[in-house]
Amino acid sequence: MTEQAQISLLERYRRLAEISRNLASTVDLDILLDRITEAAAHVSGSEAASILLYDESQGQLYFESATNLDEPLMQGLIVPVEDSIAGWIITNGQPIIIDDTQNDPRHFAQVGKATHVTTNSLLGIPLIAKDKVIGALEAINKLSGQFTQDDQEILMDLGSQAAVAIENARLFQQSDLIAEMVHELRTPLASLRTASHLLLRKDVSEEQMRKVVEIIDNETTRLIDMTTSFLDLARLESGRIPFNSEVFDPGALLQECVGLMQNKAAEKNLRLNLYIPNELPEIKGDQDKIKQVVLNLISNAVNYNKPSGTITVSGHSHPNELVISVNDTGSGIRQADITHLFDKFYRSQATENSVQGTGLGLAICKQIVEAHNGRIEVQSEVGIGTTFSVHLPLKKS
Ligand SMILES: Nc1ncnc2c1ncn2[C@@H]1O[C@H](COP(=O)(O)OP(=O)(O)OP(=O)(O)O)[C@@H](O)[C@H]1O
Ligand SMILES: [Mg+2]
């Protein structure tokens, strides 16, 4: 081994030690996975690295993080266990070095086609936690020369620590979310029990009975809405739902959303307006999910408006992005609340008692928008109103 290579190996191990300390303290799964792939590319001296996690129930591997792919592209990438190198790693629980991936029969070419990334050399290792293979970590395209045993060893070292950190982050995430969800279910369940107790009494009048049934109807609807939101968020957070990637006309989408919400606004005596230019550029993404975002924002603008208020939905195009905004003439949001607005289950005290909700709507919106490489922003003035704006990158022609 040359002196040069030795120093760099030493330097790589020093870097690994630094990363390990960092990984152990990261409980946010997304951030953790990104750090692992970045570290993997670095310590193995390769062009890019990715993590695929294994879903046993589906028998498939999902791309969870990659240094060279963006989120929407990754969401749709599913790799079969058979006929893929990652699948081979999972099944055999062994590392692998391939010098010429293009000519390897196990190479799953579809990913390369979808991502326009050519894989030449590859070093892959299994991620093993508690004796179970949970996924594969792959580094591709060694920057100089071919992958060596040294590269494999250092990546195995990183992988063993990464696997433990992933398991911990998953447990943390689940316990956190499940505890909060169960807590939220208690209130409607308690009202349902009170209602059924009342119905069991012999001395309830016909009129009281009707009221109780109305309560039951209302609370069950609320439970259904809540469980739908829980599931949506849990799926989004796990990164397991594939996003469609289709080209669509955002103007038509906004029109549809406004049409769907018109009755709800009218019921509350609110005006709901739409402003869009004659032509908006097409965007690429998951139409249904963007629709969910817009409907959520309009629904908030309806719920948190003032009597006889107005809601204005508009679309604008800028050189690199499309901006969808939803403005209302409601109570506005205090600065102290704005900082937590997109947190799960957060509801401001100002509205908590007057409007029913779970506090998940905006958290779901944020997940969806960020999965499209966009961002969601809010501007608000207390007593005047609020504007939410969704910025989505335009598809490059
Ligand atoms: N347009 C708005 N004007 C004023 N306050 C708002 C507005 N939109 C959201 N908020 C505040 O932010 C909180 C969180 O909104 P979010 O949509 O996440 O949850 P929610 O509306 O309470 O419940 P749900 O999960 O049913 O949507 C709301 O409870 C409300 O206090
Ligand atoms: Mg809401």
Side-chain angles (χ1 to χ4, degrees), residues 60 89 133 191 194 211 243:
Q60 283 170 333
I89 297 171
V133 184
S191 353
T194 310
K211 276 195 187 135
F243 272 52

Side-chain angles (χ1 to χ4, degrees), residues 296 299-300 303-304 361-362:
N296 257 320
S299 156
N300 280 347
N303 287 336
Y304 305 111
L362 289 173

Side-chain angles (χ1 to χ4, degrees), residues 88-355:
W88 185 93
I89 297 171
I90 304 274
T91 317
N92 293 275
Q94 296 286 331
I96 192 169
I97 292 178
I98 301 176
D99 290 341
D100 179 8
T101 310
Q102 294 300 321
N103 287 317
D104 192 285
R106 287 162 297 199
H107 180 51
F108 182 63
Q110 241 162 288
V111 170
K113 272 188 211 133
T115 58
H116 304 291
V117 173
T118 309
T119 306
N120 297 313
S121 54
L122 181 146
L123 162 61
I125 60 142
L127 291 168
I128 302 171
K130 297 193 198 109
D131 293 332
K132 256 181 93 169
V133 184
I134 60 165
L137 177 59
E138 292 182 342
I140 60 162
N141 300 341
K142 177 84 180 169
L143 290 173
S144 75
Q146 295 291 1
F147 285 114
T148 62
Q149 285 300 317
D150 280 342
D151 295 332
Q152 182 173 310
E153 255 166 56
I154 198 166
L155 203 63
M156 288 288 278
D157 269 355
L158 171 66
S160 62
Q161 298 171 44
V164 175
I166 291 171
E167 279 304 276
N168 287 341
R170 276 176 165 176
L171 286 173
F172 182 81
Q173 200 174 53
Q174 279 167 12
S175 60
D176 208 32
L177 192 64
I178 290 171
E180 280 179 284
M181 287 177 179
V182 171
H183 178 78
E184 293 294 318
L185 291 175
R186 290 175 68 105
T187 314
L189 283 173
S191 353
L192 281 176
R193 193 177 53 186
T194 310
S196 60
H197 279 173
L198 278 172
L199 285 184
L200 282 172
R201 283 167 57 158
K202 299 215 165 58
D203 55 347
V204 272
S205 69
E206 188 94 345
E207 201 204 321
Q208 282 170 321
M209 193 134 47
R210 235 204 107 68
K211 276 195 187 135
V212 175
V213 174
E214 261 167 34
I215 293 176
I216 293 178
D217 193 56
N218 189 12
E219 294 297 325
T220 39
T221 308
R222 193 166 145 206
L223 274 172
I224 291 168
D225 289 349
M226 279 168 103
T227 44
T228 308
S229 296
F230 289 167
L231 271 180
D232 278 352
L233 191 69
R235 288 204 184 111
L236 284 165
E237 286 201 335
S238 74
R240 291 285 163 83
I241 29 169
F243 272 52
N244 283 331
S245 181
E246 56 207 340
V247 176
F248 62 92
D249 169 14
L253 182 89
L254 292 181
Q255 242 154 12
E256 187 189 347
C257 292
V258 166
L260 286 169
M261 297 300 287
Q262 211 54 265
N263 276 343
K264 207 178 155 198
E267 269 169 27
K268 294 202 159 186
N269 201 20
L270 302 167
R271 288 171 63 98
L272 172 53
N273 300 322
L274 172 65
Y275 292 108
I276 40 173
N278 280 338
E279 220 163 285
L280 278 174
E282 289 183 318
I283 50 176
K284 195 173 175 190
D286 192 316
Q287 189 165 193
D288 283 340
K289 300 227 165 52
I290 299 293
K291 182 167 146 190
Q292 191 180 353
V293 171
V294 178
L295 289 176
N296 257 320
L297 294 179
I298 302 178
S299 156
N300 280 347
V302 168
N303 287 336
Y304 305 111
N305 219 313
K306 63 168 180 248
S308 307
T310 305
I311 299 146
T312 309
V313 178
S314 52
H316 299 280
S317 76
H318 297 278
N320 296 316
E321 59 179 21
L322 177 94
V323 182
I324 295 171
S325 58
V326 179
N327 165 272
D328 66 59
T329 54
S331 49
I333 308 167
R334 291 178 317 140
Q335 193 53 46
D337 288 319
I338 285 188
T339 32
H340 299 288
L341 216 52
F342 298 97
D343 294 353
K344 307 180 263 240
F345 300 108
Y346 189 81
R347 310 199 68 219
S348 91
Q349 277 184 353
T351 60
E352 203 171 22
N353 298 320
S354 50
V355 180

